[in-house]
Amino acid sequence: MMVTAADVGDRTVARVLLGQVAGAQHLLAQVWADGDYTGSLVEYCLAALALMLAIIKRSDDVKGAWYCPTGGSSSASSPT
């Protein structure tokens, strides 16, 4: 768990948190995030952490959660 000041952006914290997770879980190869985490964070994960950050884009047509066949669920639409 990580607690930060209100003025610290999610992407900034994500770099720190993903770095900690990647360091502790050496077999971790891919994580999923919603569309707010696009751009340089995707590039950073691949270059600095050898970690694939897959962005799941939410469809405005879908309400609620969907089942992720690889485990878990998301508030986004199915990536298929």
Side-chain angles (χ1 to χ4, degrees):
M1 180 152 101
M2 181 180 289
V3 178
T4 62
D7 64 344
V8 177
D10 288 349
R11 290 184 196 175
T12 302
V13 174
R15 283 183 180 232
V16 175
L17 187 59
L18 287 169
Q20 291 174 351
V21 170
Q25 302 295 325
H26 302 289
L27 298 178
L28 185 65
Q30 184 172 10
V31 294
W32 292 264
D34 66 27
D36 290 341
Y37 295 94
T38 59
S40 64
L41 184 59
V42 174
E43 296 163 3
Y44 167 79
C45 284
L46 192 56
L49 305 174
L51 187 64
M52 175 67 72
L53 177 60
I55 303 300
I56 305 298
K57 299 196 181 204
R58 184 181 69 84
S59 170
D60 290 334
D61 298 334
V62 176
K63 303 293 183 206
W66 60 271
Y67 170 74
C68 180
T70 58
S73 64
S74 173
S75 60
S77 65
S78 174
T80 58

